[in-house]
C-alpha cells in the first residue's frame, strides 16, 4: 500500500469518520469477555454493518481512483 494522496468525495470520507466516531467506547459500554484481557464494547449489529458498508464505499472510491490513474484518465 502506498502513501500517495487519493481523491475521494468529501462526503464519503465524512461518513466514514462519523461511523467510526459512533462506535460505543465509553466506560458504560465496556464489557469483559472470558479469556480476553482487553475490554470489549457493546455495539448494535446495524451500527457495525453500517460502518463496514461505509468503509467498503470508501474502498470502492479508492479502487476507482486507482483504476482511472492506471488508465491515464483524469479523476472526477
Amino acid at each position: 500500500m502506498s502513501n500517495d494522496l487519493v481523491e475521494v468525495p468529501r462526503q464519503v470520507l465524512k461518513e466514514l469518520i462519523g461511523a467510526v466516531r459512533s462506535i460505543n467506547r465509553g466506560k458504560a459500554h465496556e464489557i469483559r469477555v472470558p479469556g480476553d484481557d482487553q475490554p470489549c464494547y457493546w455495539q448494535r449489529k446495524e451500527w457495525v454493518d453500517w460502518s463496514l458498508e461505509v468503509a467498503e464505499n470508501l474502498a470502492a472510491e479508492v479502487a476507482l481512483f486507482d483504476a482511472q490513474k492506471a488508465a491515464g484518465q483524469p479523476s472526477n
Side-chain angles (χ1 to χ4, degrees), residues 1 3 15 18 27 30 33 35 42 47-48 53 66-67 69 71 74:
M1 176 184 286
N3 61 355
E15 189 173 13
K27 192 76 168 162
E30 194 174 289
V33 176
W42 286 107
W47 253 256
V48 173
E53 179 183 328
D66 288 344
K69 185 176 175 183

Side-chain angles (χ1 to χ4, degrees), residues 16-57:
L16 181 61
I17 291 168
V20 171
R21 286 181 174 163
S22 76
I23 294 172
N24 292 333
R25 60 192 179 278
K27 192 76 168 162
H29 300 285
E30 194 174 289
I31 60 169
R32 294 290 175 165
V33 176
D36 194 341
D37 63 342
Q38 294 292 314
C40 297
Y41 298 91
W42 286 107
Q43 191 69 50
R44 293 185 60 89
K45 182 181 183 317
E46 68 250 26
W47 253 256
V48 173
D49 291 345
W50 171 62
S51 296
L52 293 173
E53 179 183 328
V54 170
E56 287 298 320
N57 290 343

Side-chain angles (χ1 to χ4, degrees), residues 3-7 65 69:
N3 61 355
D4 58 334
L5 296 177
V6 177
E7 293 181 27
F65 175 84
K69 185 176 175 183

